[in-house]
Each structure stands twice: as structure tokens, then as C-alpha cells.
């Protein structure tokens, strides 16, 4: 099989992984070294699915001894199989990098022989890139489920980012679809990575020459819509993972109709809107001071598909409003629908010099259509009288709100998603 | 009134900075100046015949001036200076004037028109620069003095000098050239060399790697989620002509519906669709003959359902029915069943107290002459049939499951395992049941070497004994 055929199979098999970010790692260019990483990632291209290409995202092999029902590479699926050699991957990475197609490599794999064997081969690739080819670009390695702690920790010596996929929101989901995997096992991998990262960052503070260890941190991915687990379950899990393992990101991947998928799974893909809402809610947890319990509760465990989660929260907590744009503290401003973090920071600076009017706010690119019911400004804002209107929800739904695209939300700074 | 005078300078941002510093110190108001970078286009409202201001001569007599702008502001201003709009110099002077003499916190006032103009130009240049870093596509030229990587790129703004340090840092170990309409730059492993701009079509026309790159682009695209607007928002059309992969876009969009349909059609069967509404053992058994999720049942005499105690603490799973089971419709009846019975007896387990079934419910075989020869079910067939086994597991809820052979292990564990790795081990699957993997009795039958055969037999017995005690079953006294 020539390398092009292998690439077609092993890139195709990797496309269900949502993450492609090349961010969070700073490795300045050095004499004799090919490549650097800059902290913020770069998206080198975009495919018609709207996703960015930042890294060469491939599997080492799509042979697998496991039978996870949501996965195209499971043993019972009869897709074409291929396997790269260590040198294939190294060569492709270097050649693509030299033409400025990519920021680096994102290597994942099906499990061949054993998790440890697979992990070892992945580490060999990263090591060869770093040592023989003096490669300074980005490397993201996936921790193979079930690989020994020692190997997973070793991977961080060569990789910028490590990730262990949590796969599904709840253990019961795994029992059903991937009986060979457990959250305990996956989270053990996460915590051992976390341990090493913390240790490394502490060493860096006290010692001079400390080798980089996974400078881009760790992330994970959860498949959405393959099981009936609710958004509440999903966000509860994310929230816990952020708290416990200091993850940089949780990626949500709407379950796609995967070729040769398990018919037990819904063939129609879980709506992309849901995926989008989860990302918005995730943002609220990390940057807007919301807790997941504020957004969802057992009585209404699903995110509103028609309203973004912040607007939805506002409609249900009208007593919190109106907020005075010229006086309210930052935490309160962040809760106003249509107000982004950057806008809020601009408002706070501006208002030390001048009181803001509605017109000023539209200059700052606030989505006024959404925000106007919830705020008071220096001038008269008539919309705020509608705050307690019973049709407020309907009004908000109707406003043609220019939603930021997922990519705007994720920002260039993340090097894609 | 002196009237408007022209400030003439060169050398881009540096030149502007030098001039601005002098003029600012002399308190020359922004409205009295017209900025003109030598060799560059004229700013829109240039009044010809303006007197030129000789600012270099004024430099010696500059009054003391403490520039009140931050490093960050200067960085942003430098970005603005790469904007294609020649009004930028005027704007920069306006702002630095106001920052110095009117409001040192002016930049906090994001709603100010000039501040907004500044921010938006800065943003535009930064984005354009970011896209240059992303979308430059090198093509390799092989030459005797080593390979050169050459790119043609068309940024919106003349910002090659702004981004060149990035490429130098990243690709310091290779020789490269970037051509743009405004300027070109070459890195020879030691320093940057600047040259004139050039028209498109000057660089190399191809690179064999582009075929692989296109193959990657095509394969990584997920046709199930077409979002063309999102793609175009981040990769505007104006950049496409220098990016080889964009030639594939039309084809990919055109084919996407077909590819998704094909994906859905290709989804393999599962017995899930044939399960009865209520998944108790009796309903399941009644529904089994209707299953056509794969063709095995149709080719066999009948599908063979499990049998035994409906609340057994111990469940045994085999591979598939054999010749005799296929005829009788009951599991473990033939020669293999006999071996199993002996082992059960040895382990003091009464067959009536346990539940027996197979991973695949039909006898898979090929026909040779008049004989039917056993064939191992494929992982795919195991996956298809697994729904029945899962329902049986759910209905019986055993404490311990013994997998007789690796096919059973694949179905129960969702993982292909090697016997030597799991032999004599108690495996946990979620917190449902404990799993033990051992030999299939039919496998024992086929072993020729008598010592090995005895050993395998013993191992089967040991596994059953272990299972019995794990399941908390009392010894069966016969
Ligand atoms: S282990 Fe990974 S590659 Fe293998 S089937 Fe499960 S999810 Fe797919
Ligand atoms: S072997 Fe299993 S899946 Fe195939 S038809 Fe029979 S019961 Fe259905």
C-alpha cells in the first residue's frame, strides 16, 4: 500500500476527532531547529465542514482490538485498514511542515497488539521528530486507552499536548457502548498527566533548566448524542474534569453518522446546534462565572436549542435585571445577554471617562437586539420596560440575532477547533 | 495661520516615529500636517503645492518631550502602519497628539471614533498577517545549492516586512522565498534579502507534495457537516488562488450528499432492530427466528437461543452452535457439549442452575461435498449478533460470566484479547459482572497432543470452579 492510500484511510479515520488546536505552547525557533510554536495556534486551512486544519491529524493505524460501538475503527467494522510506519509519519509531518501546510502533528491510533505497544510506537514517532529531525513544531499525542501510566507520562516529554478522551458523558454510557473502557481508567490517565504537568511547572519556578513537559496542557473529547445522556450530565462531567485535572479544553463532538456505524446509535446525527450550545455553555463555565447548576437542573436537563444558554438563563432570572451598564460590577456585566468578555472589559475602561448610552454600546459591537431588555444606560432605554413581558422569550427568539460562529467564539487564539 | 504643511518621511513606521517625535515636541497640531511617505501612494486629500516641513532640521532644537504612550500602543501602531490605507499616518499622529496633550487614557475610550478607527485598522492588519502566516504555501525547488522553498502570496496589505520575522524564526533551517505583489523576500540561511514585488505566476508552478496534501484535505473533511459559510468566514475567497487545496472545494461540496448517503447505507446491520419490545427471555426466544440481521440464520437450520436457569448467577457463553445444536435447537449438545458437561461435573456445577448461550446464534459453516464444515464467525458477525447476547445478559443478570473461547470474550468484553493475557484472571466490566475467559470445549476437542489436551481440560475446570465460587454458588452434591 503506498503512502497516499494509507493517508487517505488514516486521515479519514481521524476526522471524527474534533480537536485540531495547536495552542497553548511556546517553543521559540532555535538555531538548527525546524519550526516553532507561538502560544496561539494557526489554522492553515479550512475544509467545507467549517473546521480548521491546523495539524496533520492522523491515526497511526485504524486496526483495533477494541469494539467501541461509536467508533468506525472498532474491530467488528469492516472498513479498509492500514498502518503507517514510524518513518511514514515522521516524513509526512516534516514535508507538510516545510511547505507551511500545518503547525505540526496530532497523532492518535487504534489499538494494535496492546495499548502499551501502540503508545510506545506513538512515542517513538514524537521522539524521532524531536531528536533526529530537531522538529520544533506542535505535537499532540493521544493517550491510548489502557496504556500504562508510565508510558502516558513519558509521552509528555515529547508532546506539546496530551489528551485522554473521556468519550462519553457517563460510565453507564461506556458500559453500553464501550464495555472495555472505564472512566476510572481514563481519569487515571488524566490525573497522572496532570501530576506531571504540575510537578514540571513547579520545577520551572525553582530551577533553571527544566525540560518542557506537555507545555500545551491536556484536553479531552466527549461524543454528544450517541447515548441518551443529557446536557446536564455532559456539563457536570466537563465541569468536574476542568476542576480535577486542569484541562485546557473539553471538545464536544456531535455524533456523526459514521460509515459502518452501529445501528443501535441514532443514524441521524445529533443536531449540530446542540454541539454549538454545549460549546457556548462551556464558555460560560470557564469565562463568565457561571456554574453548570445555574444553567441546568434535573427538572430541565437540556440546553435550549433556540436561545443561547446565557439569554436563556437571563429569561429565567429576570429579577437579576436590569443591570446598570454604567455601575454594575464586572461579574454582573458578564451575565448580560449579548455582552462578551472583551466588550465588558472595554465598557469598564470607557465608563471611567464617560457614561455609556445605547448608541455607544452598538459601537462596541454589543448585540443590542438581545441586550436591550436587560440593561439601563445613560440615556432612556424603552425596551427595558419589556423585561417582565410574558412574551419576552418569544421576542428574543424572533430577533434575528447574529450569532457568533463557533470559530469566532473559539477565536483565532485557539488555533481552531 | 501657516496653512497645511507636508511631512515627508521614509522607512515606514520608524521614519514616521522619528518625524512624529520632533513635530510633537514642537507642538505642531495634527490639522496643520499632511503626512507623506516617500515612494508611496498619495494620501487622499493631498493639496499639491503644500510647503514641506523640514522636520529633520527641527530635531536639534526639539524641546524636552516625554512620550506618554505604552509599549503596547507602539506595537499596535506599528501594525497599523502596515495598513494599505495611507490615512493611517495622519490617524497615528492624531492619536499620539491627543494621548500626549489631551487625554493620556484616551485608548480606554473605545467609543471614540479615532480610537475605533485605530483599533479596526490594527485588527485588520493583525488578521491579514495571521492569514499570511497560515496561508503561505511553499513549493520546493530542487537546486544544486540545496532546496529552496518558494511561495507566492497576496496579502491584503503590504505587510511582508511585518510577517517575515515569523518565517525566519520558524524556517531558519531552510532557504525560502516569499513573493508578493508589493515586495519579495529571500532567506539564505543567514539573512533576509529584500527585492521588488512581482506579478503572480513568477514562482514555481507545482510541487509533488500537493497531491498528498490534497489527499489529506479531502480525507479529513467530514461530509456529514457541511458549513460553507463558516469555512469562507475564516478562509475568504480572496486568498484561495494561492492555496492548492482550495481547488478541491467544489468537488467536495458537490459530492458531500452522496458521501453521507453512502455512509448511512453502508452502516452494518445489527440485530437490535429485531429485538422484541419486551426483552424477557421468553419474548427474546420467540423473536429469534425472525432475525435477519445477517444471513447466518437463514443459511442454518435454525437460530439457537440460550437455555438454563432464568436467574442464574453463572452464565456461560460459547462461540456459536455446531452441527448437533443446529439440528436440536439447543446449545452445547454435541461432542463439545459433552466435554463441557464433564468439566461442569468436575467443578460440581449443576447444569440446571446456570445459563448457557452463544455469542453468535447460528451455525456458520461452509459446505464441502455433503459435509458442513464449521467456520469461525467474523468480528463483524459477532458485532451484528451481539444485541441478542446483551439482552440475555440484561435479562439474566448473572454475577459471573465465563467466556468459552475468544469469540465469546470479544462479544462480552468488547475487546479482542489473547488467552495468555487473560487466563486465570477475573475481569470486571463496568460494575456489572465479573468475567472469566477460558478455552472453548470444541477447541479442547481439536487438540491432538494428549498432554496439552489434559492441561486445557484442567484449565477449563479450574476456570469453572473459580467462577462457581465467585458466583457464591454452593457445591452441587451428586
Ligand atoms: S479503542 Fe479507540 S480506536 Fe479502538 S474502537 Fe475504541 S474508540 Fe475506536
Ligand atoms: S446470527 Fe445472529 S444476527 Fe445473524 S441472523 Fe442469526 S440471530 Fe440474527
Amino acid at each position: 500500500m503506498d503512502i497516499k492510500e494509507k493517508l487517505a484511510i488514516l486521515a479519514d479515520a481521524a476526522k471524527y476527532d474534533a480537536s485540531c488546536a495547536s495552542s497553548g505552547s511556546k517553543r521559540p525557533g532555535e538555531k538548527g531547529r525546524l519550526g516553532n510554536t507561538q502560544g496561539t495556534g494557526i489554522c492553515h486551512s479550512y475544509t467545507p465542514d467549517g473546521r480548521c486544519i491546523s495539524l496533520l491529524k492522523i491515526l497511526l493505524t485504524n486496526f483495533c482490538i477494541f469494539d467501541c460501538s461509536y467508533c468506525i475503527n472498532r474491530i467488528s467494522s469492516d472498513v479498509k485498514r492500514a498502518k503507517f510506519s514510524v518513518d511514514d509519519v515522521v516524513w509526512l509531518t516534516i514535508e507538510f511542515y516545510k511547505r507551511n501546510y500545518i503547525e505540526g502533528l496530532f497523532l492518535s491510533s487504534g489499538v494494535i497488539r496492546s495499548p502499551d505497544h501502540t503508545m510506545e510506537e506513538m512515542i517513538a514517532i514524537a521522539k524521532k521528530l524531536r531528536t533526529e529531525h530537531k522538529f520544533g513544531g506542535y505535537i499532540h499525542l493521544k493517550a491510548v486507552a489502557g496504556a500504562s501510566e508510565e508510558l502516558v507520562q513519558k509521552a509528555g516529554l515529547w508532546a506539546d499536548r496530551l489528551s485522554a478522551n473521556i468519550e462519553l458523558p457517563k460510565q453507564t454510557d461506556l458500559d453500553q457502548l464501550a464495555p472495555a473502557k472505564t472512566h476510572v481508567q481514563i481519569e487515571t490517565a488524566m490525573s497522572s498527566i496532570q501530576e506531571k504537568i504540575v510537578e514540571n511547572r513547579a520545577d520551572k519556578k525553582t530551577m533553571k533548566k527544566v525540560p518542557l513537559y506537555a507545555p500545551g496542557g491536556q484536553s479531552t473529547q466527549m461524543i454528544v448524542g450517541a447515548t441518551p445522556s443529557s446536557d446536564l450530565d455532559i456539563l457536570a462531567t466537563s465541569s468536574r474534569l476542568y476542576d480535577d485535572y486542569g484541562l485546557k479544553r473539553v471538545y464536544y463532538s456531535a455524533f456523526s453518522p459514521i460509515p459502518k456505524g452501529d445501528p443501535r446509535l441514532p443514524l441521524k446525527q445529533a443536531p449540530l446546534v446542540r454541539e454549538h450550545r454545549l460549546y457556548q455553555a462551556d464558555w460560560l463555565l470557564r469565562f463568565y462565572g457561571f456554574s453548570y447548576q445555574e444553567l441546568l437542573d434535573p427538572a430541565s436537563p437540556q440546553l435550549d436549542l433556540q436561545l443561547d444558554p446565557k439569554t436563556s438563563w437571563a429569561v429565567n432570572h429576570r429579577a437579576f435585571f436590569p443591570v446598570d451598564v454604567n455601575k454594575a460590577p464586572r461579574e454582573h456585566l458578564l451575565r448580560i445577554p449579548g455582552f462578551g468578555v472583551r466588550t465588558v472589559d472595554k465598557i469598564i475602561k470607557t465608563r471611567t471617562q464617560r457614561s455609556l448610552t445605547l448608541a455607544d454600546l452598538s459601537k462596541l459591537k454589543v448585540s443590542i437586539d438581545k441586550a436591550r431588555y436587560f440593561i439601563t444606560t445613560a440615556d432612556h432605554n424603552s425596551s427595558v420596560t419589556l423585561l417582565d413581558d410574558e412574551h419576552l422569550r418569544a421576542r428574543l427568539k424572533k430577533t434575528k440575532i447574529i450569532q457568533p460562529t463557533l470559530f469566532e467564539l473559539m477565536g483565532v487564539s485557539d488555533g481552531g477547533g | 495661520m501657516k496653512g497645511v504643511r507636508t511631512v515627508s518621511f521614509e522607512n515606514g513606521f520608524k521614519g514616521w516615529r522619528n518625524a512624529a517625535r520632533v513635530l510633537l515636541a514642537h507642538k505642531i497640531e495634527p490639522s496643520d500636517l499632511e503626512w507623506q511617505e516617500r515612494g508611496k501612494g498619495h494620501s487622499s486629500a493631498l493639496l499639491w503645492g503644500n510647503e514641506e516641513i523640514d522636520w529633520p532640521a527641527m530635531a536639534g532644537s526639539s524641546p524636552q518631550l516625554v512620550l506618554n504612550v505604552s509599549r503596547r500602543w507602539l506595537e499596535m501602531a506599528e501594525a497599523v502602519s502596515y495598513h494599505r490605507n495611507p490615512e493611517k499616518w495622519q490617524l497615528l499622529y492624531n492619536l499620539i497628539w491627543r494621548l500626549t496633550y489631551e487625554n493620556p487614557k484616551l485608548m480606554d475610550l473605545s467609543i471614540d471614533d479615532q480610537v475605533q478607527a485605530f483599533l479596526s485598522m490594527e485588527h485588520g492588519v493583525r488578521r491579514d498577517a495571521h492569514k499570511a502566516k497560515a496561508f503561505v504555501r511553499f513549493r520546493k525547488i530542487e537546486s544544486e545549492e540545496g532546496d529552496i522553498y518558494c511561495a507566492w502570496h497576496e496579502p491584503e496589505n503590504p505587510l511582508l516586512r511585518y510577517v517575515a520575522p515569523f518565517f525566519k524564526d520558524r524556517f531558519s533551517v531552510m532557504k525560502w522565498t516569499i513573493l508578493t505583489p508589493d515586495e519579495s523576500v529571500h532567506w539564505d540561511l543567514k539573512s533576509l534579502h529584500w527585492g521588488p514585488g512581482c506579478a503572480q505566476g513568477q514562482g514555481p508552478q507545482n510541487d509533488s507534495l500537493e497531491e498528498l496534501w490534497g489527499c489529506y484535505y479531502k480525507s479529513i473533511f467530514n461530509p456529514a457537516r457541511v458549513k460553507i459559510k463558516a469555512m469562507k468566514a475564516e478562509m475568504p475567497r480572496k486568498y484561495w488562488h494561492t492555496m492548492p487545496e482550495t481547488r478541491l472545494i467544489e468537488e467536495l461540496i458537490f459530492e458531500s450528499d452522496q458521501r453521507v448517503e453512502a455512509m448511512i447505507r453502508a452502516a452494518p446491520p445489527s440485530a437490535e432492530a429485531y429485538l422484541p419490545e419486551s426483552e424477557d427471555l421468553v419474548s427474546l426466544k420467540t423473536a429469534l427466528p425472525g432475525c435477519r440481521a445477517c444471513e447466518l440464520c437463514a443459511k442454518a437450520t435454525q437460530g439457537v437461543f440460550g437455555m438454563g436457569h432464568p436467574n442464574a448467577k453463572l452464565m456461560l457463553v460459547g462461540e456459536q452452535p455446531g452441527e448437533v445444536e443446529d439440528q436440536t435447537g439447543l446449545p452445547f449438545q454435541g461432542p463439545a457439549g459433552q466435554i463441557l458437561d464433564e468439566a461442569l461435573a468436575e467443578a460440581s456445577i449443576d447444569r440446571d442452575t446456570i445459563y448457557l448461550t452463544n455469542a453468535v446464534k447460528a451455525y456458520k459453516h461452509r459446505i464441502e461435498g455433503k459435509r458442513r464444515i464449521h467456520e469461525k464467525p467474523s468480528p463483524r458477525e459477532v458485532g451484528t449478533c451481539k444485541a441478542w447476547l446483551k439482552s440475555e445478559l440484561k435479562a439474566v443478570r448473572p454475577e459471573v460470566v465465563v467466556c468459552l473461547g475468544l469469540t465469546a470474550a470479544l462479544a462480552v468484553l468488547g475487546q479482542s484479547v489473547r488467552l495468555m493475557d487473560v487466563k486465570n484472571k477475573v475481569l470486571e466490566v463496568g460494575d456489572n459482572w465479573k468475567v472469566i475467559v477460558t478455552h472453548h470445549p470444541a477447541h479442547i476437542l481439536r487438540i491432538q497432543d494428549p498432554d496439552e489436551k489434559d492441561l486445557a481440560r484442567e484449565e477449563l475446570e479450574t476456570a469453572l470452579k473459580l467462577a462457581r465460587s465467585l458466583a457464591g454458588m454452593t457445591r452441587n452434591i451428586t
Side-chain angles (χ1 to χ4, degrees), chain A residues 36 44 46 57 65 103 269, chain B residues 137 169-170 216-217 224 416:
Chain A
N36 61 7
H44 284 271
Y46 291 81
K57 180 164 61 175
I65 58 171
E103 286 295 285
Q269 57 181 316
Chain B
R137 294 283 179 270
D169 190 58
R170 176 163 286 197
Y216 176 68
Y217 185 79
S416 126

Side-chain angles (χ1 to χ4, degrees), chain B residues 92-110:
Chain B
L92 288 178
Y93 191 68
N94 265 316
L95 279 174
I96 203 165
W97 174 273
R98 291 173 64 199
L99 280 163
T100 310
Y101 295 121
E102 287 172 15
N103 179 1
K105 293 208 149 148
L106 177 65
M107 294 311 293
D108 287 349
L109 208 56
S110 325

Side-chain angles (χ1 to χ4, degrees), chain A residues 93-315:
Chain A
T93 308
I94 297 290
E95 293 301 317
F96 275 20
Y97 195 83
K98 281 185 166 174
R99 283 156 182 85
N100 204 38
Y101 298 159
I102 52 169
E103 286 295 285
L105 173 68
F106 178 3
L107 189 63
S108 178
S109 185
V111 182
I112 23 162
R113 305 243 288 267
S114 71
D116 277 355
H117 174 84
T118 313
M119 194 76 233
E120 262 166 15
E121 214 162 305
M122 292 167 72
I123 294 171
I125 289 171
K127 184 175 174 186
K128 194 161 192 179
L129 279 167
R130 292 280 191 239
T131 54
E132 274 176 47
H133 295 266
K134 305 224 168 3
F135 179 66
Y138 201 87
I139 299 179
H140 178 163
L141 291 183
K142 177 75 43 91
V144 177
S148 73
E149 242 176 90
E150 209 189 313
L151 282 176
V152 171
Q153 293 196 335
K154 204 168 141 198
L157 291 173
W158 312 110
D160 292 280
R161 176 169 282 185
L162 294 174
S163 61
N165 278 2
I166 195 80
E167 310 286 16
L168 297 167
K170 289 163 64 177
Q171 179 59 45
T172 49
D173 298 331
L174 277 182
D175 290 348
Q176 207 195 332
L177 299 183
K181 289 185 181 168
T182 64
H183 271 182
V184 174
Q185 180 195 49
I186 297 164
E187 290 187 37
T188 307
M190 285 182 184
S191 84
S192 74
I193 296 169
Q194 163 75 350
E195 207 177 279
K196 270 280 185 189
I197 291 178
V198 170
E199 194 184 295
N200 174 263
R201 306 298 186 266
D203 285 353
K204 240 203 242 152
K205 272 184 201 141
T206 53
M207 285 182 269
K208 258 200 192 136
K209 231 177 149 44
V210 177
L212 287 177
Y213 186 88
Q218 62 169 329
S219 62
T220 194
Q221 169 166 291
M222 219 187 295
I223 296 163
V224 173
T227 56
S229 284
S230 67
D231 293 342
L232 175 62
D233 297 329
I234 292 169
L235 290 178
T237 299
S238 298
S239 199
R240 190 168 53 74
L241 296 179
Y242 281 127
D243 289 349
D244 292 357
Y245 309 114
L247 293 190
K248 287 278 187 270
R249 283 287 298 277
V250 175
Y251 289 93
Y252 304 93
S253 178
F255 180 72
S256 307
I258 50 180
K260 316 265 189 322
D262 186 334
R264 195 174 333 142
L265 303 168
L267 265 185
K268 233 180 70 223
Q269 57 181 316
L272 293 178
V273 195
R274 183 175 177 203
E275 182 190 283
H276 181 62
R277 292 288 180 242
L278 281 166
Y279 273 116
Q280 289 178 316
D282 185 280
W283 238 253
L284 294 183
L285 301 188
R286 290 188 296 141
F287 304 116
Y288 289 79
F290 282 85
S291 69
Y292 75 90
Q293 293 95 333
E294 284 180 284
L295 300 174
L296 295 168
D297 58 64
S300 57
Q302 300 292 12
L303 291 168
D304 190 333
L305 292 183
Q306 284 162 325
L307 289 183
D308 68 273
K310 206 211 274 184
T311 306
S312 177
W313 177 86
V315 170

Side-chain angles (χ1 to χ4, degrees), chain A residues 375-395:
Chain A
I375 52 175
T376 53
T377 46
D379 52 348
H380 177 66
N381 171 17
S382 58
S383 305
V384 79
T385 58
L386 294 169
L387 178 58
D388 293 315
D389 187 282
E390 53 174 322
H391 302 299
L392 179 62
R393 214 190 107 82
R395 270 175 214 281

Side-chain angles (χ1 to χ4, degrees), chain A residues 13 59 61-76 81 108-112 142 144-145 165 167 177-178 180-181 223, chain B residues 414:
Chain A
L59 303 189
T61 179
N62 64 341
F63 284 103
C64 190
I65 58 171
F66 286 94
D67 199 28
C68 310
S69 303
Y70 49 81
C71 175
I72 185 188
N73 306 315
R74 67 209 168 103
I75 189 169
S76 59
R81 309 274 173 173
S108 178
S109 185
V111 182
I112 23 162
K142 177 75 43 91
V144 177
N165 278 2
E167 310 286 16
L177 299 183
K181 289 185 181 168
I223 296 163

Side-chain angles (χ1 to χ4, degrees), chain B residues 271-285:
Chain B
E272 182 84 358
Y274 296 90
L275 295 179
E277 195 94 335
S278 114
E279 294 182 25
D280 59 277
L281 288 177
V282 176
S283 314
L284 285 165
K285 189 171 179 170

